[in-house]
Amino acid sequence: MGVVITLRGVSRLYGSAKALDDVSLEFAAGGATALMGQSGAGKSTLLHLIGGMDLPDSGEILIEDRPLPRRGLDAHRRRVGFVFQRFHLLPALSVLDNVLAPVLPYRVDFDRKARARELIEAVGLAGRERATPGELSGGQQQRVAIARALITRPPLMLADEPTGNLDTATGQEIVDLLMGLREQYGMTMLIATHNPELAATCDRVLRLRDGRVVGDDRLAPADDVLDRIGRLG
Ligand SMILES: Nc1ncnc2c1ncn2[C@@H]1O[C@H](COP(=O)(O)OP(=O)(O)OP(=O)(O)O)[C@@H](O)[C@H]1O
Ligand SMILES: [Mg+2]
């Protein structure tokens, strides 16, 4: 369930500035970790490196003990679901087609449409398959983006401020949805966030500052969080 992620001495430089500075970490399979820290701390940089969207300048990243290659990262990216602050949906496409978009270029061994419909239902949007993003609220658009991220059944979900563009109540619904899906599909989850309530639903909170890890707390899930996740199932 999920994948183990290991970072060994990972640095990422922009000029002489270190966006990440010699970071070594391990993330347990199936864990949910919040990445916190001020703007510029290196949260997005860390997610991009783990997701194979950027390359470290030094150090290495291992997924299930296998180092990520520096080339040919497509196969890895297909095992990662990415959710962004600004939902990045394609405005001219329907909900169904947005969810299908990541797998349209590939030959796949599953029924794309059946899976897309199942995911649309799992995120609470059954019946809205033909709507376009402009017809949906922000929270609904983020639900579509989450369904899209799951179309390859990724063992790893990366979310970069997934509630950053949403009001508090809607953000909380999205948090509960993500945590419920993590349980349901068995994913390792990393979430960059400024939202303390979101962080409190994770089982670990990492704090970054100036590209370094300055805090690493393991949390026991609160009862109300367990209740809410239970209610989703
Ligand atoms: N493409 C880039 N070119 C130059 N510098 C960059 C680039 N991307 C990130 N940086 C720098 O790397 C550092 C870390 O940035 P990063 O985006 O990872 O921070 P963050 O923790 O995600 O911040 P925020 O909370 O604002 O999203 C910052 O100093 C930033 O200016
Ligand atoms: Mg960021």
Side-chain angles (χ1 to χ4, degrees):
M1 156 164 169
V3 284
V4 181
I5 306 162
T6 311
L7 282 82
R8 289 195 188 134
V10 170
S11 294
R12 178 71 173 102
L13 313 179
Y14 288 107
S16 58
K18 290 181 174 168
L20 283 181
D21 186 3
D22 192 21
V23 170
S24 295
L25 283 170
E26 180 147 309
F27 298 99
T33 304
L35 305 174
M36 300 195 78
Q38 291 175 353
S39 183
K43 305 180 294 296
S44 296
T45 303
L46 184 61
L47 292 182
H48 294 159
L49 291 173
I50 291 171
M53 301 160 87
D54 188 16
L55 294 171
D57 292 291
S58 56
E60 63 178 357
I61 298 170
L62 302 95
I63 306 293
E64 300 282 308
D65 292 331
R66 297 230 299 275
L68 277 186
R70 296 188 67 82
R71 287 158 173 264
L73 280 162
D74 280 13
H76 172 61
R77 288 193 204 108
R78 264 174 266 149
R79 303 185 68 212
V80 178
F82 219 110
V83 176
F84 304 91
Q85 176 173 358
R86 297 167 198 281
F87 326 119
H88 296 300
L89 300 177
L90 296 164
L93 297 188
S94 68
V95 165
L96 182 67
D97 288 340
N98 267 284
V99 174
L100 284 169
V103 290
L104 281 181
Y106 302 108
R107 195 183 313 205
V108 291
D109 60 1
F110 56 88
D111 180 339
R112 297 165 219 256
K113 284 208 173 159
R115 183 177 292 181
R117 288 181 196 285
E118 174 200 316
L119 287 167
I120 290 166
E121 188 177 341
V123 300
L125 289 176
R128 304 307 306 274
E129 288 82 358
R130 308 265 34 119
T132 54
E135 296 166 339
L136 301 177
S137 68
Q140 289 172 327
Q141 291 182 55
Q142 191 63 299
R143 289 169 186 270
V144 177
I146 290 167
R148 176 184 58 187
L150 295 178
I151 190 77
T152 58
R153 289 270 163 82
L156 173 58
M157 166 89 103
L158 305 176
D160 199 349
E161 301 191 30
T163 65
N165 269 21
L166 303 173
D167 64 68
T168 307
T170 308
Q172 191 62 56
E173 287 172 22
I174 293 298
V175 171
D176 293 344
L177 177 65
L178 285 171
M179 293 302 160
L181 292 167
R182 175 177 73 103
E183 293 276 310
Q184 188 177 342
Y185 293 105
M187 294 180 282
T188 306
M189 189 173 275
L190 305 185
I191 309 178
T193 185
H194 293 282
N195 177 346
E197 275 151 16
L198 203 178
T201 64
C202 294
D203 49 48
R204 181 180 181 189
V205 179
L206 273 179
R207 277 171 215 287
L208 298 179
R209 187 188 299 146
D210 299 332
R212 288 179 160 268
V213 177
V214 295
D216 189 351
D217 297 311
R218 315 286 165 140
L219 309 178
D223 286 344
D224 65 315
V225 173
L226 292 174
D227 280 353
R228 284 202 306 270
I229 294 171
R231 265 195 270 129
L232 286 168

